[in-house]
Amino acid sequence: MRPIRLDLDGFTVFREPTTVDFTDTDFFALVGPTGSGKSTVLDAMCFALYGTVPRWGDRRAIANALAPSAAEARVRLIFESAQKRYVLTRVVRRDAKGAVTTKHAGLEMLAPGLDLGKLESGLEQQDIAEVLAGTPGEVDTAVLTVVGMPYEQFTKCVVLPQGEFAAFLHAKPAERQKILVNLLGLEVYGRIRERAQTEGATAEAKLKVLDDTLHAFTDIDDATLAAAARRVESLRGVAAAVEEIAPRLADAGHAATSAKATLDTLDAQIARLSAVTVPSDAAGLAASAATARAAVAGAMDAARAAEEREEKLRGELQSAGDATALRRLLDRHAERARLVAESSSVRSAVTAAEREHTTAAAALESARADARSALADLEAAREAYQAAVATDRAVALRPHLKVGDSCPVCTQTVHELPAVPHDSAVAAAETAGKRARKRSEAADRVVEERDRAVRDLDRGLAAARAHAQQFAQRVEALDRELEGAPPAEVLQRDLDGIAALTRRLDQAGAEVRKAREAHRTAAGQADRAEERLRTAWRGFDTARDGLAAFAPPPANRDDLADAWSTLHAWATGEAGRRRAGRQATLDEVAAAERRAGDVRDELAAAFTGAGLPAPGGDPVRDAAVALERADAARRRIEERRADAERMRAQRDELAREAQVAKALAQHLRADRFERWLLAEALDTLVDGASSTLRELSGGQYDLGHDKGEFYVVDHHDAGLRRAVRTLSGGETFQASLSLALALSEQLAGLSAASASLESIVLDEGFGTLDTATLDTVAVTLENLAARGDRMVGVVTHVGALAERIPVRFEVRRDARTARIERVGL
């Protein structure tokens, strides 16, 4: 698996969309301060592929994928495996209750040569070669197929996260064996062994079935076959004899059948002739039909008479005049009389309205005069009030005036001083003015009320006059309409005559309906009588037609009773003649049956002699079936003999197959062949890792293994063998790195399965190495990356190591989110 591009959005510290582009990158470093999010990039790769991260611990702890306060996290990994490119997406989301679940997971194989720039605008149908998975479970299964490794092995061989770097070095032998079995594809040998065991068990089961079947073949010896052949020859003789007897039996049977048929025909004729009887109602049906026809004629005459009376009355009614027009004229006479009677009251109402209107108009004029008088008094009171005010003002100026001075009010020369009254007249004038105003206002109200009453009376008088005019106009119209018309009493007399004629016409109509109903009833009864007579004739015709083969005498079609009597007499005579000749026919039947019985006995003896049951209705067929069964039994014995021979040959072949499968399963047992393969693979792995460790440790250490456990040989301590768990932290890192590089570089060549170790990413403590060891590690990684068939990545905050790596992804983090910037080639 080789990563091409990683897209993050809302994943842990990467709250905002972030892209890491590994295109054309063979050797890179993820650098940045501690806690900036370098290891999170590796977490995102693991999460995209397997849905979990090593440092989460629990695979179900996917809530750790969400950035704080984020509702959704999205990770998309584009990677290459076995020269094919894939896009893998996982989306987790937090619901309203706080639960976090995987809402989408998908894996697609990309079309060859696809420009990854199209990822920004969205992939189209033609950009996807195949959809491999669409649910989390399907993705987990598909990743195992595409990458070739489960999660636990991926984190030990490809992406080595913090704390897991030395996992393969310190793994237990059984766990390390499982990793190597998967990487080398050795499980195929386990499947071969299981298939061999299954094939062997199947072959042994088939052997048992064949042995049981062969033991059941006890009736196929030579004696049985010879007896079957003799039985076939014996039945061939029986079949030949039956073919000679069968025609004679058929002839005898036909003769007996013919004699029986003649007797049956004679008996049927006697029965049919004897069944002819004269119906009890044959004589009365014709009389009933004639009586019914006479009743129909009488009813028809009565109906015609009633219809003539009705028609005569209808003519009289039509000549009597139009009742509707007469009634309309009579209504006009009544209306005119009513209007004339009511006209005097209408005129009285008009006269009363005129008197009331005249009185109200006079009262209104009187009120208006009072109002004018009150208004004049009000004007006089105002003038008196103004004069009193002027006098008071003059009196106020009087003490200062002298004859010959100028008046301060009118600026004229004073020739004479005015007299001074004893009291002021203003108060009295003001009181008189108030009384005059009240009287004027009261008079105005009276005028308004009487004016309103006059207007109301005007409308009432106009309505009364209009009503009187309408009465007069209606009377004139009625006079014109009744001009030349008969008086009311004449009209009433004519209407009474028309009513009497109408009642007589209704009665005549009822009589017509009654007569017609009587005619229908009589006609129905006549139809039923005729139908009964026709039915009786049809019964006679049916009976006579049934005897047509015997040539019955002609019938009198005018008399049903006579026709039946003639037919009955003839049938009785014919039946008697046939009974007289019946005994001779009985004797012929008995002779034919005796001849047929003799032939059947001869045939039964032929079957009994051959040990066969008595024949049925077709002895030739019975003999042929018996012969065919005997011959089939003989052929079946021959076929079973051939089957037994084939089964013996098949048993020998199955026995050889079972022996080969058992031997193959024995050789492929896990404690033999697979252990040898694992030992060889582990030797190759340790040889490569030991060479790298020797270089990293300056020749101090070699790596070895014994019974599944790793150890080092310390050349600085006289070649002492030490367990790997006794190494220091820096030495453990050197040994782990050597083993990891050997896994990445060598096991891909040893693997027979689909495991693809196309990259290795190290996230471990380079800070524990001294300068010389760090330089050796850097050179080793550079040499591994320079080969071009592996992507090599490291996660470090050691500047000296980062500066020697051509492509660096610098990770920085602020209060909002982490960011990644590519630096270098």
Side-chain angles (χ1 to χ4, degrees):
M1 192 285 297
R2 184 186 185 101
I4 304 298
R5 171 173 167 160
L6 179 66
D7 295 320
L8 310 173
D9 186 5
F11 185 77
T12 65
V13 297
F14 292 95
R15 290 184 175 87
E16 296 180 355
T18 303
T19 296
V20 184
D21 190 352
F22 298 102
T23 305
D24 299 328
T25 301
D26 293 325
F27 191 20
F28 70 90
L30 288 166
V31 299
T34 300
S36 60
K38 302 184 299 297
S39 298
T40 303
V41 176
L42 303 187
D43 293 345
M45 290 185 189
C46 287
F47 179 74
L49 289 167
Y50 299 102
T52 188
V53 171
R55 52 182 174 173
W56 289 355
D58 189 352
R59 289 178 62 92
R60 295 171 296 179
I62 60 173
N64 296 320
L66 285 169
S69 74
E72 181 179 281
R74 182 182 298 270
V75 179
R76 180 172 64 182
L77 175 64
I78 294 91
F79 64 95
E80 187 175 282
S81 181
Q83 299 181 347
K84 295 179 181 178
R85 287 193 174 184
Y86 302 86
V87 57
L88 174 58
T89 306
R90 287 187 191 262
V91 179
V92 297
R93 192 172 297 153
R94 181 184 287 114
D95 61 20
K97 297 181 180 180
V100 178
T101 56
T102 301
K103 291 300 180 183
H104 171 69
L107 177 63
E108 293 94 21
M109 181 192 299
L110 298 177
L114 175 67
D115 182 7
L116 295 182
K118 295 191 69 174
L119 292 171
E120 304 300 333
S121 58
L123 296 177
E124 299 178 357
Q125 185 67 34
Q126 63 269 22
D127 299 331
I128 299 175
E130 183 180 359
V131 176
L132 302 178
T135 65
E138 292 175 353
V139 168
D140 293 342
T141 302
V143 165
L144 288 177
T145 302
V146 172
V147 178
M149 284 180 284
Y151 164 75
E152 292 77 7
Q153 297 171 11
F154 182 82
T155 56
K156 292 178 175 63
C157 299
V158 178
V159 176
L160 305 182
Q162 292 180 358
E164 299 291 335
F165 195 61
F168 187 79
L169 179 68
H170 292 154
K172 294 180 180 179
E175 183 179 357
R176 190 182 301 120
Q177 178 176 326
K178 289 170 61 178
I179 295 174
L180 289 177
V181 165
N182 181 268
L183 288 175
L184 295 175
L186 298 185
E187 69 275 4
V188 68
Y189 298 107
R191 291 195 297 271
I192 292 174
R193 182 185 67 252
E194 293 173 358
R195 179 66 180 273
Q197 291 174 341
T198 302
E199 293 291 339
T202 301
E204 290 180 352
K206 290 180 179 179
L207 280 174
K208 185 177 184 307
V209 172
L210 286 174
D211 287 340
D212 293 342
T213 304
L214 288 171
H215 288 317
F217 286 172
T218 58
D219 55 349
I220 58 174
D221 53 13
D222 294 341
T224 303
L225 180 60
R230 287 194 298 272
R231 178 65 173 169
V232 169
E233 290 303 321
S234 174
L235 291 178
R236 281 200 180 99
V238 172
V242 170
E243 288 179 357
E244 186 273 328
I245 298 171
R248 289 189 287 118
L249 178 62
D251 292 342
H254 290 327
T257 302
S258 177
K260 287 181 179 179
T262 301
L263 179 61
D264 293 339
T265 301
L266 183 62
D267 288 341
Q269 291 176 356
I270 293 172
R272 288 166 61 188
L273 290 168
S274 300
V276 176
T277 58
V278 179
S280 60
D281 58 350
L285 288 176
S288 298
T291 302
R293 285 193 293 272
V296 171
M300 176 62 73
D301 293 339
R304 287 197 186 99
E307 289 171 353
E308 290 174 358
R309 287 193 297 274
E310 181 187 28
E311 190 62 30
K312 180 179 178 182
L313 289 172
R314 184 173 289 108
E316 292 177 0
L317 183 61
Q318 289 177 353
S319 62
D322 187 357
T324 302
L326 295 176
R327 191 174 292 107
R328 184 165 54 250
L329 290 175
L330 186 62
D331 291 342
R332 297 296 184 270
H333 277 293
E335 183 182 2
R336 186 182 184 286
R338 180 180 56 77
L339 292 176
V340 170
E342 293 178 358
S343 61
S344 60
S345 62
V346 172
R347 285 194 296 273
S348 298
V350 172
T351 302
E354 290 175 346
R355 283 197 303 269
E356 188 176 0
H357 181 270
T358 301
T359 302
L364 175 60
E365 188 58 36
S366 175
R368 286 174 177 169
D370 290 344
R372 287 192 296 270
S373 175
L375 183 62
D377 292 344
L378 179 60
E379 289 297 328
R382 285 184 183 141
E383 292 176 358
Y385 175 75
Q386 291 174 357
V389 171
T391 300
D392 282 355
R393 289 177 181 172
V395 169
L397 296 175
R398 174 67 178 78
H400 306 291
L401 287 177
K402 295 178 179 179
V403 175
D405 293 342
S406 297
C407 178
V409 178
C410 60
T411 69
Q412 296 182 0
T413 302
V414 177
H415 298 286
E416 182 180 3
L417 294 175
V420 179
H422 296 290
D423 295 318
S424 174
V426 173
E430 184 175 3
T431 301
K434 289 180 179 180
R435 284 197 302 272
R437 182 178 292 106
K438 288 181 179 180
R439 180 185 169 204
S440 177
E441 290 174 353
D444 288 341
R445 286 194 294 273
V446 171
V447 169
E448 183 177 355
E449 291 173 357
R450 292 182 178 178
D451 184 63
R452 189 163 49 249
V454 169
R455 287 196 299 271
D456 292 341
L457 290 172
D458 283 341
R459 288 191 292 271
L461 179 58
R465 287 172 176 169
H467 188 52
Q469 185 178 3
Q470 289 175 357
F471 259 66
Q473 291 173 349
R474 181 56 183 164
V475 170
E476 291 177 0
L478 289 173
D479 288 341
R480 287 192 300 272
E481 190 174 349
L482 292 173
E483 185 177 357
E489 56 275 10
V490 175
L491 293 173
Q492 185 63 53
R493 187 175 61 250
D494 292 343
L495 285 172
D496 291 342
I498 291 173
L501 285 174
T502 301
R503 288 193 295 273
R504 291 173 61 193
L505 179 61
D506 292 341
Q507 183 178 1
E511 291 175 356
V512 167
R513 289 190 293 275
K514 182 177 180 182
R516 287 175 179 171
E517 180 63 28
H519 176 263
R520 281 194 293 271
T521 301
Q525 292 174 351
D527 290 341
R528 287 191 290 275
E530 290 288 345
E531 181 59 29
R532 287 195 295 272
L533 182 59
R534 286 192 294 271
T535 301
W537 274 110
R538 284 195 294 272
F540 173 79
D541 291 339
T542 301
R544 189 178 184 281
D545 291 344
L547 303 174
F550 308 136
N556 181 9
R557 303 301 296 183
D558 295 328
D559 190 344
L560 178 63
D562 180 67
W564 269 112
S565 296
T566 301
L567 182 64
H568 177 263
W570 170 82
T572 301
E574 290 294 320
R577 286 192 297 272
R578 283 167 174 75
R579 288 192 188 95
R582 187 174 183 276
Q583 184 59 46
T585 305
L586 282 173
D587 295 340
E588 291 179 4
V589 170
E593 287 182 345
R594 284 194 300 273
R595 290 192 297 271
D598 293 340
V599 176
R600 280 195 294 271
D601 291 342
E602 183 181 355
L603 186 63
F607 272 80
T608 304
L612 295 175
D618 189 354
V620 174
R621 179 182 177 280
D622 293 342
V625 169
L627 175 60
E628 179 60 30
R629 288 176 177 171
D631 193 45
R634 179 187 59 78
R635 290 195 303 271
R636 187 160 54 251
I637 292 172
E638 293 175 347
E639 291 169 357
R640 285 165 61 83
R641 288 165 65 92
D643 290 341
E645 190 63 28
R646 285 194 299 273
M647 288 180 184
R648 292 187 187 95
Q650 187 178 1
R651 185 191 182 287
D652 295 340
E653 181 64 25
L654 283 174
R656 287 191 295 271
E657 291 178 2
Q659 184 178 5
V660 170
K662 185 176 181 180
L664 179 60
Q666 192 74 14
H667 289 311
L668 292 180
R669 281 173 49 190
D671 57 352
R672 291 185 180 183
F673 184 71
E674 188 175 286
R675 183 192 300 174
W676 174 80
L677 285 176
L678 287 173
E680 290 295 319
L682 193 59
D683 288 343
T684 302
L685 178 64
V686 169
D687 287 344
S690 182
S691 176
T692 302
L693 179 60
R694 190 181 308 115
E695 182 178 358
L696 292 176
S697 63
Q700 180 178 359
Y701 294 115
D702 278 331
L703 184 65
H705 72 96
D706 183 20
K707 297 180 180 179
E709 295 288 350
F710 288 131
Y711 64 86
V712 294
V713 177
D714 189 350
H715 295 292
H716 290 182
D717 193 4
L720 178 67
R721 289 176 56 169
R722 295 168 50 190
V724 293
R725 296 187 180 276
T726 65
L727 297 175
S728 65
E731 292 170 340
T732 298
F733 176 79
Q734 290 177 343
S736 300
L737 177 60
S738 300
L739 199 55
L741 292 176
L743 278 172
S744 177
E745 187 174 33
Q746 297 184 25
L747 284 186
L750 293 173
S751 176
S754 60
S756 180
L757 300 177
E758 300 175 88
S759 59
I760 183 169
V761 183
L762 310 177
D763 183 8
E764 196 58 40
F766 293 101
T768 62
L769 305 179
D770 56 32
T771 302
T773 303
L774 186 64
D775 182 69
T776 301
V777 169
V779 171
T780 302
L781 295 175
E782 288 170 352
N783 292 337
L784 181 63
R787 298 178 56 179
D789 57 349
R790 297 286 187 277
M791 173 187 283
V792 179
V794 297
V795 179
T796 184
H797 58 271
V798 178
L801 178 60
E803 290 176 356
R804 299 185 60 170
I805 297 176
V807 177
R808 298 183 297 281
F809 294 97
E810 295 183 354
V811 184
R812 295 183 178 84
R813 181 179 178 184
D814 55 24
R816 169 62 183 163
T817 185
R819 294 179 175 82
I820 299 177
E821 180 182 1
R822 177 168 173 161
V823 179
L825 298 177

